[in-house]
Amino acid sequence: GQQVMQIPQYQHVQEGEDFTTYCNSSTTLSNIQWYKQRPGGHPVFLIQLVKSGEVKKQKRLTFQFGEAKKNSSLHITATQTTDVGTYFCAGDSNSGYALNFGKGTSLLVTP
Amino acid sequence: DTEVTQTPKHLVMGMTNKKSLKCEQHMGHRAMYWYKQKAKKPPELMFVYSYEKLSINESVPSRFSPECPNSSLLNLHLHALQPEDSALYLCASSQDDRNEQFFGPGTRLTVL
């Protein structure tokens, strides 16, 4: 079945440093979604990418979808302590409603 | 109203108890989901309801029984659970397939 691999598992940065998390799928995705979960919280939708090669920006966050629609990345420029949390990618393989979540990247930002 | 609500927030139950988790959304979403999440793990899909019909059951044990009384409500009935079922149970909804999912705050379940 479809698998979505996400790396790294953990990342510890100093405030102001950049951060990137990567997702790779074993199959072509119809779209990929990104969620953020704060410690003790629930996943919150960040963005959905649909088109091959798509790039979207939200303030300091940049999301990319690969040309083959099998990989994606989330890059945060100049991290802040408010960026702390676990970032999940979730791929939709066009099989219906089931999203396949990556294992997540836990980001810790120290001031 | 752009939120998904879940009750209760916390639940402690014995292995012989019967309890229910409740989820509600008033965004007019036609798909609703139950996920189970263990600590430091991603959400694990359990069930999907689409237009009030069960469309996906990810081989979940029968001690978990979902119910969708109407388009705004989703229940998860629990019976004879095991300690390993202790987890955060998340409800989510989406407008339709392949749209973003809105998650509720979850019910933190402990089975003794």
Side-chain angles (χ1 to χ4, degrees):
Chain A
Q2 179 199 85
Q3 289 189 359
V4 176
M5 312 298 289
Q6 189 173 356
I7 57 168
Q9 191 175 357
Y10 301 100
Q11 187 83 56
H12 182 183
V13 300
Q14 293 288 319
E15 191 171 23
E17 291 181 338
D18 291 357
F19 159 77
T20 306
T21 172
Y22 302 90
C23 273
N24 281 291
S25 170
S26 55
T27 58
T28 301
L29 301 169
S30 64
N31 72 73
I32 193 158
Q33 300 176 20
W34 285 91
Y35 292 81
K36 176 184 178 182
Q37 186 170 19
R38 287 202 160 99
H42 58 277
V44 174
F45 173 80
L46 294 176
I47 208 145
Q48 177 175 273
L49 304 171
V50 179
K51 298 177 185 172
S52 168
E54 191 168 15
V55 177
K56 286 189 177 179
K57 293 192 176 187
Q58 288 179 352
K59 297 183 181 177
R60 294 177 294 104
L61 277 60
T62 302
F63 303 84
Q64 293 189 322
F65 201 11
E67 293 291 339
K69 299 182 74 173
K70 284 188 172 183
N71 58 71
S72 181
S73 65
L74 157 59
H75 178 82
I76 302 179
T77 304
T79 53
Q80 299 175 359
T81 54
T82 52
D83 295 325
V84 165
T86 301
Y87 293 84
F88 292 102
C89 62
D92 177 355
S93 65
N94 208 37
S95 63
Y97 294 82
L99 284 177
N100 283 296
F101 279 82
K103 292 193 174 180
T105 297
S106 291
L107 173 63
L108 179 61
V109 181
T110 49
Chain B
D1 188 353
T2 58
E3 66 170 1
V4 176
T5 58
Q6 287 187 246
T7 56
K9 286 194 166 108
H10 302 273
L11 178 62
V12 180
M13 60 187 290
M15 288 191 281
T16 58
N17 292 157
K18 280 186 184 181
K19 295 286 184 185
S20 296
L21 309 185
K22 295 186 184 303
C23 173
E24 191 166 3
Q25 58 89 12
H26 295 288
M27 294 178 277
H29 289 173
R30 303 320 300 256
M32 295 185 77
Y33 313 76
W34 279 116
Y35 289 88
K36 173 183 177 180
Q37 188 177 31
K38 292 276 209 181
K40 300 190 187 303
K41 298 287 186 187
E44 185 184 326
L45 184 66
M46 300 174 73
F47 302 104
V48 182
Y49 273 83
S50 169
Y51 292 84
E52 300 163 49
K53 288 189 166 54
L54 184 64
S55 64
I56 294 180
N57 174 344
E58 293 285 356
S59 304
V60 178
S62 60
R63 56 186 185 267
F64 295 93
S65 174
E67 179 197 16
C68 188
N70 61 55
S71 60
S72 300
L73 292 172
L74 188 65
N75 298 322
L76 187 62
H77 304 296
L78 315 172
H79 174 54
L81 295 194
Q82 304 295 311
E84 59 264 29
D85 296 322
S86 298
L88 179 67
Y89 287 84
L90 293 160
C91 173
S93 70
S94 64
Q95 184 176 21
D96 210 332
D97 63 334
R98 288 180 255 300
N99 287 115
E100 64 265 31
Q101 295 186 16
F102 291 75
F103 284 81
T107 293
R108 191 158 297 282
L109 174 68
T110 303
V111 182
L112 301 175

